[in-house]
Amino acid sequence: ASRGGGPAMASVIISGGGIAGLCTRLALKRLGVASELIDLAPAVAKPDRDEPLLLLPNATKILTALGFAPLVGRSQSLDRWTIVNPQGQILGGVDFSRLSEEHGGGHPTVMMRSSDLLVALLKAGSGTKDPLCPVRMVTGLRSLEQQPDASLLASFTAKMPAASIDLLVGADGVGSKTRELRCG
């Protein structure tokens, strides 16, 4: 569909408001691609479900490239993880410093709260009201139907009209409704 008389733009829906969905939204926005993010949850950051995240060097490298170096820098850096039994005997572990040097280009392994990352990603994407990339909470996919022009006709669980979409990004986790609807 043409928007504003310019060239035709793809219609993109991102299903899932977690880390993957918000990173996808931000990356598409920075490329100038309009998208709409939907999620069944009532809010993106859920403090009652706040979990610690262990982010390896490849993740901190990507977050730094996306402009989140201050957030990475404020996080707890980990050089080593050691597993010991109740008697104090070392059973194994990971040398994160070596991993960083060999595979991460010097980017650290860090521990941070999931809500800190979710809130930062949401703010970087201009919150939920961004006209280019809006976020609709308490909204999920109800059905998908392949159209003759290769687009998908999507219907939603909330008061959102059915829409013809060109790209559907499934970032809705392990029990993915997107995967169920597309792959059975």
Side-chain angles (χ1 to χ4, degrees), residues 30-109:
R30 290 188 176 173
L31 292 171
V33 176
S35 66
E36 189 156 358
L37 186 142
I38 61 173
D39 194 287
L40 285 170
V44 172
K46 305 162 200 84
D48 60 324
R49 290 185 165 182
D50 199 12
E51 300 170 353
L53 293 175
L54 177 68
L55 299 173
L56 297 174
N58 60 336
T60 58
K61 179 179 180 180
I62 292 167
L63 288 173
T64 298
L66 286 173
F68 297 103
L71 178 62
V72 171
R74 286 192 309 270
S75 301
Q76 177 66 46
S77 183
L78 300 172
D79 294 327
R80 182 165 193 74
W81 181 21
T82 304
I83 302 168
V84 296
N85 67 14
Q87 292 76 34
Q89 179 184 12
I90 296 176
L91 302 175
V94 178
D95 183 350
F96 291 122
S97 297
R98 196 178 93 228
L99 184 65
S100 174
E101 292 168 15
E102 293 177 5
H103 305 287
H107 291 274
T109 295

Side-chain angles (χ1 to χ4, degrees), residues 141 168 170 172-184:
L141 289 169
L168 173 63
D172 51 345
V174 176
S176 173
K177 183 70 172 178
T178 305
R179 187 177 321 119
E180 174 189 323
L181 291 171
R182 286 301 295 151
C183 305

